[in-house]
């Protein structure tokens, strides 16, 4: 009899423990790492794949070249070449600026060449690039599926919030914020460095940018489905987020240029891949707006 009572006690304790576990699971934020939820939702953190070129949308703290950097580089290269080849220029420099000491001449030569190399490395525009650029953070496409710099958070417009966990509607305006740097996917009337299309950059600070950060999700149904391919149309300039295959050199060798194109084609289709998806709530108004 004592054994029966002991078993009933244990059974009651286990039933109570299971009840508490279920209650706890129901009270946590509604996150979805798998594929059981069919829509892309506001607040989700995702990777976006260009289906034509099989690269994921990517960014990093490397900036596009600007017209200022090109002018400075050209000036330094011109003076560096003259400095190293012209005895007249050498004499003028030594008499009027430095001295006759070869130590000073060697020092200025190294300084000029070093500055040129620094500009070429950190304010790159790539092979065959044009003399333009915004100087903003670059956006590229990468093949690696496990790169942490490829995560983007889906947020609403500043004046029209995106309810956390609500499915994103086809035709809805969103912002895509780069998780690791806090800058928004952005475009403007600058020429992209490799293809000559419209530059796409990452802009802002801690998710705060401007009206040129807004993109319209174009899809075929009512909501953006996870298995569907979509396009992103830039609200301010009406170009489509695209990749056409041009590859950068040093220091981001092999990464693809991401740019804006005015025409619809196979190069501007995207699909969500890896990510953390916020599931909708029965009472979505209790969620924060993003």
């Amino acid at each position: 009899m004592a054994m029966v009572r002991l078993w009933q006690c244990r059974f009651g304790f286990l039933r109570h423990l299971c009840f508490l576990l279920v209650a706890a699971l129901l009270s946590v934020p509604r996150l979805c790492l798998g594929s059981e939820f069919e829509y892309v939702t506001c607040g989700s953190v995702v990777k976006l794949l260009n289906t034509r070129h099989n690269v994921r949308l990517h960014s990093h703290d490397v900036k596009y070249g600007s017209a200022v950097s090109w002018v400075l580089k050209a000036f330094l290269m011109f003076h560096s070449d003259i400095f190293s080849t012209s005895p007249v220029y050498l004499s003028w420099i030594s008499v009027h600026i430095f001295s006759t000491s070869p130590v000073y001449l060697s020092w200025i030569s190294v300084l000029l060449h070093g500055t040129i190399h620094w500009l070429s490395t950190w304010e790159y525009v790539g092979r065959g690039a044009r003399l333009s650029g915004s100087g903003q953070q670059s956006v590229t496409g990468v093949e690696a599926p496990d790169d942490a710099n490829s995560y983007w958070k889906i947020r609403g417009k500043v004046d029209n919030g995106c309810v956390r966990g609500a499915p994103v509607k086809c035709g809805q305006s969103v912002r895509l914020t780069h998780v690791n740097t806090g800058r928004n996917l952005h475009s403007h009337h600058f020429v992209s460095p490799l293809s000559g299309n419209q530059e796409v950059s990452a802009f802002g600070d801690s998710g705060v940018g401007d009206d040129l950060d807004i993109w319209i999700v174009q899809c075929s149904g009512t909501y953006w489905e996870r298995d569907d391919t979509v396009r992103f149309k830039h609200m301010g300039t009406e170009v489509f987020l695209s990749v056409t295959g041009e590859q950068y050199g040093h220091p981001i060798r092999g990464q693809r240029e991401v740019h804006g194109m005015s025409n619809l084609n196979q190069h501007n289709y995207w699909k969500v891949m890896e990510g953390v998806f916020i599931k909708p709530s029965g009472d979505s108004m209790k969620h924060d707006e993003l």
Side-chain angles (χ1 to χ4, degrees), residues 244-265:
T244 50
E246 296 83 5
Q247 296 188 27
Y248 287 107
H250 183 77
I252 54 172
R253 186 176 304 279
Q255 295 187 22
R256 311 295 176 85
E257 180 186 83
V258 174
H259 49 251
M261 301 182 71
S262 58
N263 57 311
L264 296 172
N265 54 55

Side-chain angles (χ1 to χ4, degrees), residues 45 58-63 136-139 148-155 158 175-186 201-210 213:
V45 176
H58 179 90
S59 192
H60 38 220
D61 196 15
V62 178
K63 295 178 173 58
Q136 294 179 7
Q137 181 172 301
S138 58
V139 173
N149 275 321
S150 299
Y151 282 111
W152 300 82
K153 186 173 184 178
I154 301 170
R155 307 167 64 216
V158 175
R175 289 173 294 166
L176 299 173
T177 302
H178 188 242
V179 172
N180 280 357
T181 63
R183 295 188 172 97
N184 299 325
L185 190 69
H186 181 94
S201 63
F203 173 76
D205 186 23
S206 300
V208 179
D210 61 22
D213 301 339

Side-chain angles (χ1 to χ4, degrees), residues 88-142:
V88 176
Y89 195 72
L90 280 172
S91 300
W92 187 89
I93 288 289
S94 64
V95 171
H96 292 86
I97 299 180
F98 296 105
S99 69
T100 57
S101 171
V103 175
Y104 286 102
L105 300 180
S106 300
W107 180 82
I108 193 62
S109 179
V110 170
L111 179 63
L112 288 173
H113 286 287
T115 305
I116 294 168
H117 176 73
W118 184 86
L119 287 169
S120 299
T121 300
W122 293 107
E123 296 220 32
Y124 75 93
V125 290
R127 183 176 58 188
R130 290 148 177 85
L131 297 178
S132 63
S134 64
Q136 294 179 7
Q137 181 172 301
S138 58
V139 173
T140 62
V142 297

Side-chain angles (χ1 to χ4, degrees), residues 216-230:
I216 302 170
V217 180
Q218 293 193 341
C219 44
S220 56
T222 303
Y223 297 105
W224 178 2
E225 296 185 8
R226 289 181 57 180
D227 293 332
D228 196 12
T229 54
V230 302

Side-chain angles (χ1 to χ4, degrees), residues 1-15:
M1 191 69 176
M3 291 296 294
V4 172
R5 290 180 179 176
L6 179 61
W7 171 251
Q8 290 177 342
C9 179
R10 287 180 178 177
F11 179 76
F13 172 75
L14 290 174
R15 183 173 57 184

